Structures are given as C-alpha cells and as structure tokens.
Amino acid sequence: MSVLIGIDGSIASRAALDWGVARARAARTGITLRYVVDDEWGAVGASARAELRRNAEVLVQHELELAREGAGSSPVTAQISVGPPMLTLAAEARDHELVVIGTHKVGVFHGLALGARGLQLAAMSPVPVAVVPVSSGGRRHGVAVGIGGEAGEDAAVRAAVDEANRSGEPLVLVQSSTSSVLAGAHAISRARALAETLAPAAGVTEQRSSAAAGEALAIMSGQSVLTVVGRPTHPGAHGFRPLGRVTSELLLNLRGPVLVVPFPALPTTESPERTTEPERSAET
C-alpha cells in the first residue's frame, strides 16, 4: 500500500507533497502522485485539451523529481487523470493507505473556507485523509486526537498512536468539557487505556478544553504536529458520507496538518446522553 498525494502545482499542493513524502519515508511505504485535470475543461476544443495535457505532463514530471529527492528509499510514481478532482481522488484512494491534499485554508472561527476541498474529500474517501495547510510553521509538539466517546472511535486512537510513534511525539488525548462529565470521563479513561496498551514511545497526556469540540481541536491543530479526528461511516455507504459538526469545524478552521480517520458507526452501549455533537451534513 502507498500514500496517494493530490498535486496541481499550487502552493497548497506543494505543502501536501512535502508532508506526504516525509510521512511515506517515515513509514517506509510507496508514494503515488496524482494530477487530476478537471473535466470541466471537456467543453473546450481538442487543441486546448491537448495543450492542457502537455502542461500537466510537464508539471507532473517536475513534482515527481521533487518527490524523489525527499523520498529516500520509498518508490515514487505519478499518474494523470481527467475528471472531478475530489471525486477522482476519493475513487483512487481505496487502493492506498492514505490520501493527502493541501489547502490554503488557515483561519479562525466564523472566518474562512466554505466549500474547502478538504471537506469534500474527507466526506467521500474510504481511507484516512490528511489535509495539510500552506502555512503550518512555528514550533509544534505532540499528536493530538479528539475523544468524544463515539462507539468505534478506537480507530482514531490507534491511528494517532501510529502517527505519534512515527514522529517520536507524545500522544495528546483532547476532550471538550461541553460533553457530559460522567460519560466524558469514561471516554477519556477508555481511550487512555487503549493508547497505553499500544504503548506510544513518548507517552500519553490528556487535555480538557472549555471550548466546543470542533473549536478545541482547531486550536490544538495550531500547536500539534498532527491533529487526528475520527469520522463515523455506515456499512454499505457509497459516495458522499456526511461529516459531523466536529470534523467540519476542524477542517474549516485548521491551523496545522489534520488526519481524518473513518471508522464504522457502531451502536453505542454508553450512557444515552450524547458525548459528542450530533452528526450533520457539512454545508459546502
């Protein structure tokens, strides 16, 4: 399995390339670059389409050379497709362990980014999606994972531990204090027990925020090496899978790399009082 990186020649694309190549090198896995020529160009004439194709080939060759410079022993390939970019990447993702895209959207709440492509891809991809912002500088520490008490959330914790071990960073369990105190305490204890069983090399810490869950994770994304959030999916679902409020708010307001991990939605046996905000479709 390899890491799939969406490229288009933009600054955001380069952020995804740099992050994805470093991640693949650390994981000792292959890299596939995918340039998708938007099929809205199908309305233009044959000569214009041929020119677009030639431009795409030049761009892809340049990005391929850059990726190989930083990939170490990880093999790198590149491909060109024609179609809706996010739909195409989501369809291709099933053959990879992770798909990575860049974003220009780095903002604060109620500010930027309606229609951000990260939301579109995260709502369709059957595998984890990493969304990497253009500007994510500054000193960062830890791999943060949101804990909401959702049944099946263990997948996000496991993914976060894996990423923490790859980066040599501690795992930070993040929970909003807006959840029920009793159920919230149970969820964080359960997540910590699982994380400690998986033994992250740099240890486990907890952080409880007074902010709503999406905002708390967005704030953490400005401090963390990576912020991980789980996304419930439903068996047999195909195509678009609605994002919940927490994931949507995080992706709309991220300030550093974010990993969205899909997991099967399971019947909960916890307290009937909800510990996370209700799922709803993202407005894009």
Side-chain angles (χ1 to χ4, degrees):
M1 298 291 279
S2 62
V3 173
L4 175 65
I5 307 174
I7 59 171
D8 63 11
S10 67
I11 296 174
S13 167
R14 186 61 54 77
L17 181 71
D18 291 345
W19 190 93
V21 167
R23 163 60 167 72
R25 186 178 64 241
R28 298 181 180 179
T29 190
I31 300 163
T32 299
L33 310 182
R34 173 73 68 168
Y35 182 93
V36 184
V37 179
D38 197 325
D39 65 355
E40 71 179 19
W41 292 104
V44 304
S47 61
R49 289 198 298 273
E51 180 66 21
L52 287 170
R53 178 77 187 194
R54 286 193 294 271
N55 290 341
E57 289 171 351
V58 171
L59 183 149
V60 166
Q61 184 59 38
H62 181 258
E63 299 301 288
L64 182 59
E65 292 171 1
L66 286 176
R68 285 175 172 164
E69 288 177 4
S73 60
S74 295
V76 187
T77 60
Q79 300 168 337
I80 299 173
S81 300
V82 177
M86 295 302 105
L87 284 172
T88 302
L89 287 176
E92 294 292 336
R94 69 183 72 256
D95 297 324
H96 302 271
E97 65 182 73
L98 171 69
V99 56
V100 185
I101 63 168
T103 180
H104 292 284
K105 309 303 183 183
V106 181
V108 295
F109 269 71
H110 313 302
L112 306 177
L114 284 181
R117 285 187 164 186
L119 275 79
Q120 299 171 28
L121 184 58
M124 295 184 290
S125 174
V127 303
V129 172
V131 182
V132 183
V134 169
S135 176
S136 57
R139 181 159 180 79
R140 295 176 174 275
H141 181 66
V143 172
V145 57
I147 303 301
E150 190 84 39
E153 191 173 65
D154 290 359
V157 176
R158 292 178 185 278
V161 171
D162 287 344
E163 298 299 333
N165 283 334
R166 284 193 190 96
S167 60
E169 295 286 339
L171 181 72
V172 184
L173 306 175
V174 182
Q175 188 174 58
S176 169
S177 61
T178 59
S179 61
S180 125
V181 174
L182 182 59
H186 176 75
I188 202 83
S189 295
R190 185 176 184 281
R192 184 172 191 122
L194 172 60
E196 289 177 342
T197 297
L198 299 171
V204 183
T205 63
E206 299 174 16
Q207 181 161 323
R208 196 168 177 87
S209 172
S210 59
E215 184 174 1
L217 289 174
I219 292 169
M220 284 301 298
S221 74
Q223 307 167 14
S224 304
V225 170
L226 180 67
T227 302
V228 181
V229 64
R231 176 178 65 82
T233 61
H234 298 278
H238 299 284
F240 184 85
R241 302 165 178 87
L243 294 175
R245 178 181 297 176
V246 172
T247 303
S248 298
E249 289 182 347
L250 171 58
L251 291 177
L252 287 172
N253 298 281
L254 56 74
R255 303 170 196 177
V258 167
L259 181 66
V260 181
V261 180
F263 61 83
L266 302 174
T268 181
T269 57
E270 307 295 339
S271 165
E273 184 172 4
R274 296 188 66 91
T275 61
T276 59
E277 297 179 65
E279 291 288 302
R280 69 176 186 185
S281 297
E283 297 177 1
T284 58

